[in-house]
């Protein structure tokens, strides 16, 4: 297991280094269109071939990975922080706050927030830069994506509230806030980590879908999500394995980080 | 009892096998039809139903683009262009057996021209205030008088499906080759051969050749392509270039490129005085030099090659060359010329500094380009335009919006800088574009609802469009509309990009399909389409 | 008595939440950009009067609070309004499409849970890190696939829509369920039980499941909302004529009458599922 974690960490670092380092090299220009080599296979000039506009696929992959790997985990962090505040805290405290939080979470999970996203787009200037648009999109995802983790954290916090060590600590006079931060939080960490590793790929994909609403990463800046969207049509299945490079990178990244941060061993 | 049961079973088997032997044409509708009332048709799916079921007085032959007699055997338009008289075909019946006559035409026109109906076809015929008078001059003669001359009047009757005045089935009793037998929302519309259809082929066999048509409702183009390649459907009535190329590799006999369509892709700049955009940007957009410079900096040949895989031609103006009569052949080709673009910009005081274009006040030339999300071709076109304009120092920010948000920006709030959309030309006649060119109109996209024309050339466009609408003589109309196209090419309120080709899928099982550029591209002669196996069979 | 009070309280909360959710959804739809617009506004054949009539078609919905109150009142009489974009009674649309979605979502949920539970139990039984890692990888793959790609695979392999719903729900359920079971396995009473020779099956059934029951129920409740949300892109992309496709088209057309009804249904299902899960957990605690 330790070996697996090491390998996972090394793979994740390699991908991160490649994407951050490679995207700084001028050779990898993600927006240059080679209009004579459109949808081309791998070659000396374009190692992973080109996309439908003749842009170097490797360059777009490197830049897109950098964008998504910077912003998606940040969005997941925001979502989990809100989930902790709106789910775990009321779940631990109980009473009226717990009841109100349940209603808020249910509404969060069921109301069509796409209209709110449309309003956000309407309020943004049309000339928002691609980078700013990307950041705002992931911020919105973080602000709207806390419902499911909050529900689960609430259930766990409710269980912990009734556990023996918490009862003992309360009887000893430990304050609720101290209990929450020092003693309960470590017990919530596995749940938080599980939710984090679910949220990251979900947000990467959700960002691409938000381009339908005018949000998301704007052209010509790529993101992993927009590269993965190319797989949504039968046209991508043309015997060219390079179309799947983005999927492979995302799986490797998410999978290797999951293994790297797995704390326990199965006995 | 046992013998009776045997006969019943035998009959059931015969009927079942007869059903399995039906010549049923299958293709997809991209959405549910919004209505079965032919007067209210304004979406593609409803238009398909209307075309397959509706009987019209005059039919535009999609191949020759000429008007031909249909339910009317003869017609005459008066010298002032306000009255059209029809001699109707005798002995025709609706699908439910009700006889067809002049009263049905009057009933249809009265309903169509009701202003409360808000019918697109009715609005196209409504050229002036006042009522349309239908005078029945006999069982098979009728004349219609309009309050104002209607140029190209006879062509408009191609869209007027006659409804029965007396049938209990109302608009479901039809005069076309097929009638609707079943509709399952979200699933399909089933049509059967109209047993009372009046047409016969040259050998005297009654038409249509097909027994049935099944229109399944499916908006997913991937599914359509897969089902077509598996021969589960027989036609694709319009596909994108990348699907065409894919199918032409896997099944070359199944796809056809019918040449340029009537449609175009174009972009324009917001010139509305009250638009919530920076005044200096409004100054750019109102400058003819700026618009023409942007046009010259766009490489249309590359758009055709890269985005449309060679299945498009650079557009020259609002009319495609596929519109044989109305296209102005004297229009210059839009050339890719970045040097000329820079020259035009310099004349207006623009200059390059550090690879970025600045206006005379030192503002960076940057604008947003909005278009509808979900159209892969259009998004790629926008990205290529972004790259082309970057080479002359202009920064373009692409914003893809959902359709309602886009419509609100370009039609109501005018909170946009540049927009890109496609123009779908349903009609060949320039009257169909009247609302685009009149400065007072809502569809005058770059600056709608003007109280008085903002520029001299827009005033000239108003004059020319009104003149051609009231002229009856074809050459006068052609001259006026040619001049409209020339002004549009000079002033570039719309920057026309490409005319896409008509790309269709036709199963090799079918005979008689002749793809054309006018809608409906593949089944315009539906009554003569048949399955190849039928060639050896007896006529009906 | 406690049970009756708990049920009555929860029903009240459910009703208030549903009504509030419906109003929130209606308000968002009303104030989102594009409200009151119609594609026909770009039809060059229509004259000004017709365009005005199109714009006025949604005038009733401009005062959304009044419209919503009226809509609720009409719903009480079974009138769910008329869809502006499809020009058909909303009730008819839901009756046609509701069964399709319910079957797909129900089957998808069942498939996801069965598969997730099976893999978790298999990992538990086999005590294999390899199995657990492989399952995580499989779940990770599904998380990384866009909904469109999943829908496309369905089409290519001729699989039903419930498989796509299961593909969306499974990785989330499996990940969390696996983590729950593993975390519980480290608890002192489990270690003691193993040391005393209690079988794996016995530990799982009598000592792990009761401990994680409340969270599993919470997860079950959440997974209903997840499955309903997944139904929308699956139906829209695969052309399945269900309520999800209707919801997507209505959202894109800003069809408020349909959106209100569909939102009430989705909020209702989500709230009922979560409240039901909570109630089960509370009731069993009382009994246990």
């Amino acid at each position: 297991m330790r070996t697996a974690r090491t390998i996972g960490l090394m793979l994740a670092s390699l991908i991160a280094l490649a994407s951050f380092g490679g995207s700084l090299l001028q050779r990898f220009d993600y927006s240059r269109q080679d209009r004579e080599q459109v949808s081309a296979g791998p070659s000396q000039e374009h190692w992973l071939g080109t996309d439908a506009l003749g842009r170097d696929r490797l360059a777009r992959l490197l830049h897109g990975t950098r964008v998504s790997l910077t912003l998606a985990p940040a969005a997941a962090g925001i979502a989990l922080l809100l989930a902790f505040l709106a789910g775990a805290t009321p779940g631990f405290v109980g009473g009226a706050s717990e009841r109100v939080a349940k209603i808020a979470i249910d509404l969060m999970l069921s109301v069509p927030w796409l209209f709110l996203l449309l309003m956000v787009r309407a309020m943004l200037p049309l000339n928002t830069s691609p980078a700013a648009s990307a950041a705002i999109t992931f911020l919105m995802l973080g602000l709207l994506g806390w419902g499911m983790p909050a529900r689960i954290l609430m259930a766990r916090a409710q269980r912990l509230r009734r556990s023996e060590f918490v009862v003992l600590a309360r009887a000893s006079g430990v304050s609720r806030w101290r209990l929450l931060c020092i003693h309960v939080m470590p017990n919530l960490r596995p749940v938080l980590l599980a939710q984090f590793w679910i949220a990251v790929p979900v947000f990467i994909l959700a960002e691409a879908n938000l381009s339908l609403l005018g949000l998301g990463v704007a052209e010509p800046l790529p993101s992993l999500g927009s590269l993965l969207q190319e797989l949504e049509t039968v046209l991508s299945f043309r015997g060219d394995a390079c179309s799947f490079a983005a999927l492979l990178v995302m799986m490797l990244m998410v999978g290797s980080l999951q293994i790297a941060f797995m704390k326990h061993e199965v006995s | 009892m046992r013998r009776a049961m045997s006969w019943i079973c035998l009959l059931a088997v015969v009927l079942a096998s007869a059903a399995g032997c039906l010549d049923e044409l299958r293709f997809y509708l991209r959405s549910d039809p919004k209505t079965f009332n032919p007067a209210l048709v304004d979406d593609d799916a409803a238009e398909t139903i209307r075309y397959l079921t509706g009987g019209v007085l005059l039919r535009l032959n999609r191949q020759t683009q000429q008007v031909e007699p249909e339910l009317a055997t003869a017609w005459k338009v008066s010298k002032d262009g306000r009255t059209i008289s029809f001699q109707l075909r005798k002995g025709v019946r609706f699908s439910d057996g009700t006889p067809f006559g002049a009263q049905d035409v009057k009933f249809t026109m009265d309903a169509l021209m009701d202003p409360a109906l808000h019918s697109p076809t009715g609005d196209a015929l409504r050229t002036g205030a006042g009522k349309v008078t239908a005078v029945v001059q006999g069982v098979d003669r009728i004349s219609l008088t309009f309050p104002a001359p209607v140029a190209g009047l006879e062509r408009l009757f191609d869209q007027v499906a006659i409804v029965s005045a007396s049938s209990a089935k109302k608009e479901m009793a039809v005069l076309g080759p097929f009638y609707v037998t079943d509709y399952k929302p979200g699933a399909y519309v089933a049509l059967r051969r109209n047993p009372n259809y009046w047409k016969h082929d040259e050998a005297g066999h009654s038409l249509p050749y097909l027994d049935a048509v099944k229109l399944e409702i499916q908006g997913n183009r991937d599914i359509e392509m897969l089902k077509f390649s598996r021969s589960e459907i027989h036609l694709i009535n319009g596909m994108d270039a990348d699907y065409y190329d894919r199918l032409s590799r896997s099944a070359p006999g199944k796809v056809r490129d019918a040449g340029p369509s009537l449609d175009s892709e174009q972009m324009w700049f917001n010139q509305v005085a009250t638009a919530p955009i920076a005044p200096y940007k409004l100054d750019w957009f109102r400058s003819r030099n700026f618009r023409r410079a942007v046009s010259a900096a766009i490489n249309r040949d590359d758009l055709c090659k890269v985005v449309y895989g060679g299945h498009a031609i650079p557009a020259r103006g609002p009319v495609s060359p596929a519109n044989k009569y109305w296209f102005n052949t004297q229009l210059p080709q839009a050339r890719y010329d970045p040097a000329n673009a820079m020259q035009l910009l310099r004349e207006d005081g623009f200059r390059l500094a550090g690879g970025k274009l600045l206006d005379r006040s030192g503002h960076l030339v940057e604008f947003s380009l909005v278009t509808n999300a979900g159209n892969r071709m259009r998004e790629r076109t926008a990205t290529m335009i972004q790259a082309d304009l970057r080479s002359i120092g202009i920064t373009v920010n692409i914003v893809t919006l959902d359709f309602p948000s886009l419509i609100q920006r370009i039609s109501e709030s005018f909170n946009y800088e540049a927009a890109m959309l496609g123009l779908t030309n349903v009609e060949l006649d320039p009257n169909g574009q009247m609302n685009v060119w009149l400065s007072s109109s809502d569809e005058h996209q770059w600056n709608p609802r003007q109280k008085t024309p903002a520029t001299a050339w827009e005033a000239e466009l108003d004059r020319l469009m009104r003149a051609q609408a009231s002229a009856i003589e074809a050459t006068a109309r052609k001259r006026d509309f040619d001049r409209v196209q020339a002004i549009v090419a000079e002033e570039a309120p719309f920057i026309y990009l490409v005319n896409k080709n008509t790309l269709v899928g036709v199963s090799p099982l079918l005979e008689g399909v002749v793809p054309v550029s006018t809608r409906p591209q593949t089944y315009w002669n539906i009554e003569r389409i048949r399955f190849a196996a039928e060639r050896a069979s007896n006529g009906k | 008595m406690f049970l009756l009070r708990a049920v009555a309280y929860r029903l009240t909360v459910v009703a208030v939440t549903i009504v509030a959710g419906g109003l929130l959804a209606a308000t968002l739809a009303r104030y989102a950009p594009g409200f009151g617009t119609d594609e026909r506004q770009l039809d060059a054949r229509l004259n000004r009067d017709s365009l005005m009539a199109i714009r006025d078609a949604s005038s009733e919905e401009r005062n959304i609070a009044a419209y919503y109150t009226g809509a609720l009142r009409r719903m009480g009489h079974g009138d769910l309004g008329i869809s502006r974009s499809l020009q058909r009674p909303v009730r008819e649309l839901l009756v046609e499409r509701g069964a399709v979605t319910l079957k797909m979502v129900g089957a998808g949920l069942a498939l996801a849970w069965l598969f997730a539970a099976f893999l978790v139990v298999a990992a538990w039984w086999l005590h294999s890190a390899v199995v657990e890692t492989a399952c995580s990888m499989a779940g990770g793959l599904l998380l990384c696939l866009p909904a469109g790609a999943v829908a496309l695979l369905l089409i290519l392999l001729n699989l039903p829509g419930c498989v796509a719903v299961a593909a969306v729900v499974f990785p989330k359920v499996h990940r969390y369920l696996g983590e729950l079971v593993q975390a519980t396995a480290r608890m002192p009473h489990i270690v003691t039980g193993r040391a005393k020779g209690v079988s794996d099956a016995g530990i799982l059934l009598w000592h792990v499941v009761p401990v994680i029951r409340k969270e599993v129920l919470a997860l079950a409740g959440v997974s209903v909302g997840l499955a309903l949300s997944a139904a929308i892109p699956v139906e829209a992309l695969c052309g399945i004529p269900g309520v999800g496709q209707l919801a997507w088209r209505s959202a894109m057309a800003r069809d408020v009458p349909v959106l209100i009804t569909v939102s009430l249904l989705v909020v209702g299902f989500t709230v009922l599922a979560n409240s039901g899960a909570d109630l089960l957990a509370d009731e069993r605690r009382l009994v246990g």
Side-chain angles (χ1 to χ4, degrees), chain A residues 205-217:
Chain A
L205 294 176
E207 170 273 316
N209 292 333
L210 291 183
S211 65
L212 278 174
L213 310 178
L215 289 166
V217 174

Side-chain angles (χ1 to χ4, degrees), chain B residues 60 146 230 405:
Chain B
L60 178 72
F146 294 84
R230 288 175 195 162
S405 301

Side-chain angles (χ1 to χ4, degrees), chain A residues 235, chain B residues 221 225 238-249 255 257 303-312 376-377 380 500-503:
Chain A
L235 301 165
Chain B
R221 307 281 179 117
M225 200 190 86
M239 66 175 99
D240 285 343
D242 39 11
Y243 287 108
Y244 178 90
D245 286 337
R246 180 64 181 268
L247 273 171
S248 64
R249 281 195 298 273
V255 291
D257 180 345
L303 289 179
C304 295
K305 180 179 72 183
V306 172
V307 177
Y308 294 95
H311 302 290
R376 213 170 34 235
M377 298 295 166
R380 286 178 191 163
K500 300 177 285 191
N501 281 11
T502 300
L503 303 173

Side-chain angles (χ1 to χ4, degrees), chain B residues 422-484:
Chain B
L423 177 68
T424 301
N425 275 314
V426 173
E427 291 173 34
L428 295 167
D429 195 283
N431 264 356
Q433 298 183 21
M434 180 69 86
N435 285 336
V436 175
W437 303 118
L438 287 181
S439 59
S440 56
S441 148
D442 291 67
E443 313 301 336
H444 193 70
Q445 292 297 351
W446 69 92
N447 190 1
R449 298 177 218 136
Q450 296 176 41
K451 288 194 174 54
T452 54
T455 59
W457 58 270
E458 285 172 284
E460 180 65 1
L461 285 180
D462 284 357
R463 188 190 69 75
L464 287 165
M465 286 306 292
R466 288 198 174 100
Q468 67 81 33
S470 53
I472 304 308
E473 210 222 346
T475 46
R477 293 190 68 210
K478 170 78 173 148
R479 186 191 61 231
D480 287 339
F481 193 62
D482 274 356
R483 182 72 194 122
V484 166

Side-chain angles (χ1 to χ4, degrees), chain A residues 66-106:
Chain A
R66 188 182 72 165
V67 168
S68 296
L69 286 187
T70 309
L71 295 173
I78 293 171
L80 289 176
L81 176 63
L82 290 172
F84 178 80
L85 292 171
T89 308
F92 185 72
V93 167
S97 65
E98 185 185 347
R99 289 192 288 273
V100 168
K102 274 188 190 169
I103 293 174
I105 291 168
D106 284 343

Side-chain angles (χ1 to χ4, degrees), chain C residues 168-255:
Chain C
V168 169
V169 174
F170 161 77
K172 290 151 188 160
V173 166
H174 172 261
R175 191 84 182 84
Y176 187 61
L177 206 53
E179 184 278 325
L180 263 181
V181 167
Q182 294 304 329
T184 311
R186 294 192 293 277
M187 292 175 96
H189 70 287
I190 303 292
V191 175
T192 308
R194 280 195 202 282
K196 288 193 171 177
V198 179
S199 70
D200 279 341
I203 288 177
L204 187 65
L205 279 173
W206 306 118
H207 300 284
V208 172
V209 169
V211 170
I212 64 174
R213 152 184 59 89
K214 194 181 171 79
E215 284 153 271
V216 170
L217 285 169
L219 181 62
V222 165
S223 67
V224 170
L226 204 57
L228 285 171
S229 308
I232 296 175
V234 168
E235 286 180 9
L237 292 165
C238 296
I240 298 171
V243 175
Q245 188 194 64
L246 177 68
W248 178 250
R249 286 185 183 171
S250 306
M252 288 297 105
R254 312 292 192 271
D255 192 339

Side-chain angles (χ1 to χ4, degrees), chain C residues 134-146:
Chain C
C135 293
S136 281
M137 294 290 104
L141 167 64
L142 287 171
L143 278 177
C144 295
L145 274 179

